């Protein structure tokens, strides 16, 4: 009951900001924060069970004649992502209260945001893959509404259509892969059927279809191009989509299905090589962006590539490093997008060539942005350093390319150099 309530709260709460909009901006934002706050309290109430290594499950009858139930699951991975979705969501609601102007339809904005939040919670807490697919498609639809919120702008309309087209196409491939998985495993709860799935003749096809869904959602090469165009969204949306939601749905699904799909050369080559190319490409392109949000968008692509590469490496602690970097990336990237939004809001321009010297006028924002940038660069004593150190260690432990094993740590090091460079450029410019 608790898991279903956590998912349902944002959907039910989406009506509150629409009703409270006439009461003023503060009341509207406060009403939007009620559902995620209650959801966060309920989630934290289950931390003892999760931290003890137990899994909380719930199942409701849906289509019993064909053996399909509404099955929910809260384990460590689901708890982490639900915590990020609700916690950062609350901060984004607070931020949006001051970011949006009085002329903006704030009630509609918060309603869309809560629909998106509920959809993401459904993705991370669903155990039945068909149920997960329902919420997966809802994230694409609700993100379309958020990215295109400023519908009068052509770039917002274009960015929303592009995001929906790419992620929706990937969703169709993912649906096909999920149906085949259900056929192979005999049910849509597949985590315990890894050996059966990997031994099946359809395994390569299933893997490719599911990875198409994962890669389109998490902006992996060659599907990375939609993410920078999504920057036309209001900055609170960008901060939320790039740190805790949307693009993280792809890497979540990769982590969730890891026990069922990983352990083969097909998996490690497809996942690691795609992650390696995305890591380097995103880092290189971020270095040459002049727009604040553009730089952060390409850096997000690069960090998603890093996480994907870690899931692809067949090394002892690569999965641990991947999950750890998901946490770190969520914290510093949300901070950086919010700082970029403050600068854009106060100066009227996101172009770094026009707005340097902000330390003098925005000292508090500057301090927070510099700390977050240094975490993104991987400077010692900050959280980004720890996960990047683990990342470099795991690239040295892998054994994917035979005599060309040196290529993976070499590319990782080059991408690391680029990440320091674009982080310092963000600070300097």
């Amino acid at each position: 009951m608790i898991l279903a309530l956590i998912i349902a709260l944002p959907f039910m709460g989406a009506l509150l900001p629409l009703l409270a909009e006439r009461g003023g901006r503060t009341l509207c934002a406060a009403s939007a924060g009620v559902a995620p706050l209650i959801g966060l309290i309920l989630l934290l109430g289950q931390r003892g069970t999760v931290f003890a290594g137990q899994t909380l499950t719930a199942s409701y009858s849906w289509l019993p004649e064909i053996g399909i139930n509404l099955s929910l699951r809260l384990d460590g991975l689901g708890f982490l992502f639900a915590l990020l979705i609700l916690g950062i969501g609350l901060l984004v609601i607070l931020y949006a209260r001051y970011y949006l102007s009085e002329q903006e339809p704030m009630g509609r904005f918060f309603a869309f945001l809560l629909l998106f939040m509920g959809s993401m919670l459904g993705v991370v807490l669903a155990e039945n893959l068909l149920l997960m697919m329902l919420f997966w498609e809802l994230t694409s639809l609700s993100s379309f509404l958020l990215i295109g919120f400023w519908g009068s702008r052509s770039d917002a309309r274009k960015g929303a259509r592009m995001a929906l087209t790419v992620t929706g196409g990937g969703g169709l491939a993912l649906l096909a892969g999920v149906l085949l998985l259900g056929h192979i495993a005999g049910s849509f709860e597949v985590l315990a059927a890894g050996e059966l799935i990997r031994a099946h003749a359809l395994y390569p096809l299933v893997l490719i279809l599911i990875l198409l869904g994962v890669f389109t959602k998490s902006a992996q090469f060659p599907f990375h191009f939609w993410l920078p165009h999504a920057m036309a969204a209001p900055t609170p949306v960008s901060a939320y989509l790039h740190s805790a939601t949307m693009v993280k749905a792809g890497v979540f699904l990769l982590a969730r299905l890891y026990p069922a799909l990983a352990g083969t050369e097909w998996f490690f080559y497809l996942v690691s090589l795609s992650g390696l190319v995305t890591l380097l490409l995103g880092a290189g392109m971020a270095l040459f962006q002049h727009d604040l949000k553009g730089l952060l968008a390409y850096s997000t692509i690069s960090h998603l590539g890093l996480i994907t590469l870690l899931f692809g490496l067949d090394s002892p602690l690569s999965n641990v490093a991947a999950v750890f970097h998901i946490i770190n990336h969520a914290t510093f990237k949300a901070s950086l997008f919010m700082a970029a939004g403050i600068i854009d809001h106060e100066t009227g321009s996101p172009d770094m060539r026009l707005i340097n010297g902000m330390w003098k006028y925005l000292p508090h924002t500057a301090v927070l942005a510099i700390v977050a940038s240094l975490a993104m660069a991987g400077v010692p004593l900050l959280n980004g350093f720890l996960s990047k150190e683990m990342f470099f260690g795991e690239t040295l432990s892998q054994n994917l390319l035979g005599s060309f094993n040196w290529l993976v740590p070499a590319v990782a090091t080059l991408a690391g150099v680029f990440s320091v460079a674009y982080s310092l450029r963000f600070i300097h410019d």
Side-chain angles (χ1 to χ4, degrees), residues 283-304:
M285 296 182 76
L287 190 55
F288 298 99
Q289 301 300 309
H290 300 303
D291 183 284
L292 279 170
K293 289 173 69 175
L295 184 151
L296 294 177
Y298 280 105
S299 76
T300 296
I301 292 171
S302 179
H303 283 275
L304 290 169

Side-chain angles (χ1 to χ4, degrees), residues 71-417:
S71 301
L72 304 175
R73 174 190 183 93
L74 181 68
D75 54 8
L77 185 67
F79 183 89
L80 166 64
F81 274 86
L83 188 64
L84 291 175
I85 292 163
L86 291 167
I88 294 182
L90 269 174
L91 295 175
V92 167
I93 289 171
L94 175 63
Y95 178 82
R97 153 65 181 86
Y98 297 97
Y99 181 87
L100 297 174
S101 69
E102 293 183 1
Q103 290 72 39
E104 304 280 3
M106 188 176 283
R108 181 159 60 90
F109 175 85
F110 285 133
F112 291 164
L113 190 71
L114 288 170
L115 290 175
F116 180 70
M117 183 185 294
S119 303
M120 277 299 306
L121 287 170
V123 168
V124 303
L125 296 180
E127 184 173 34
N128 183 296
L129 288 181
L130 280 184
L131 179 62
M132 185 277 298
M133 278 302 312
L134 172 65
F135 288 114
W136 183 277
E137 293 306 315
L138 283 175
T139 62
S140 295
L141 292 172
S142 51
S143 66
F144 170 80
L145 297 173
L146 286 169
I147 296 169
F149 181 72
W150 286 329
S152 59
R153 290 172 41 176
S154 62
D155 58 340
R157 297 194 301 271
K158 178 182 178 183
R161 287 196 299 267
M162 187 178 294
L164 182 62
T165 301
V166 175
T167 60
L172 290 174
L174 178 60
L175 176 59
V178 164
L179 292 174
L180 287 175
L181 263 185
H183 168 70
I184 294 170
S187 103
F188 291 99
E189 298 169 19
V190 302
L191 296 185
E195 291 186 9
L196 178 64
I197 293 168
R198 290 188 291 270
H200 200 278
L202 289 175
Y203 169 75
L205 177 60
V206 169
L207 180 63
I208 290 171
L209 288 171
I210 288 176
L211 289 181
L212 281 173
V214 168
F215 290 168
T216 51
K217 203 77 158 184
S218 58
Q220 298 298 292
F221 177 84
F223 308 105
H224 63 285
F225 55 87
W226 70 265
L227 192 58
H229 290 279
M231 291 301 93
T235 299
V237 174
S238 301
Y240 199 37
L241 263 63
H242 285 242
S243 62
T245 60
M246 189 61 172
V247 295
K248 291 290 175 63
V251 292
F252 166 81
L253 186 60
L254 194 61
R256 172 61 80 211
L257 293 180
Y258 189 91
L261 298 178
T264 67
E265 289 190 355
W266 275 92
F267 183 88
F268 291 122
Y269 282 116
L270 286 173
V271 175
S272 61
L273 292 179
S274 178
L276 193 66
V277 173
T278 306
L279 166 67
L280 185 60
L281 181 69
M285 296 182 76
L287 190 55
F288 298 99
Q289 301 300 309
H290 300 303
D291 183 284
L292 279 170
K293 289 173 69 175
L295 184 151
L296 294 177
Y298 280 105
S299 76
T300 296
I301 292 171
S302 179
H303 283 275
L304 290 169
L306 185 155
I307 294 166
T308 302
L309 171 59
L310 280 170
F311 279 119
L313 295 179
D314 189 13
S315 56
L317 290 175
S318 58
N319 293 342
V320 177
V323 173
F324 186 32
H325 196 71
I326 286 170
I327 302 170
N328 294 337
H329 180 259
T331 54
F332 64 66
K333 191 52 62 72
S335 304
L336 286 169
F337 267 108
M338 290 181 185
I342 292 170
I343 294 167
D344 187 12
H345 191 275
E346 296 301 310
T347 64
S349 173
D351 192 329
M352 290 185 288
R353 295 169 295 183
L354 304 177
I355 55 173
N356 44 21
M358 287 295 101
W359 174 276
K360 178 180 178 182
Y361 303 103
L362 300 171
H364 301 99
T365 301
V367 170
L368 294 173
I370 288 171
V371 171
S373 297
L374 295 178
M376 181 166 67
V379 170
L381 304 183
L382 297 172
N383 59 354
F385 167 76
L386 298 174
S387 55
K388 281 195 172 182
E389 186 73 7
M390 290 178 70
F391 165 61
F392 290 134
E394 294 310 304
T395 61
L396 291 170
S397 302
Q398 55 78 36
N399 188 28
L400 289 171
L401 302 177
S403 59
F404 291 95
N405 274 340
W406 58 269
L407 188 62
V408 176
V411 172
T413 303
L414 180 59
V417 171

Side-chain angles (χ1 to χ4, degrees), residues 59-74:
S59 185
Y60 307 92
S61 180
W62 181 19
L63 297 173
E65 63 275 9
I66 57 174
I68 298 178
N69 295 318
L70 297 176
S71 301
L72 304 175
R73 174 190 183 93
L74 181 68

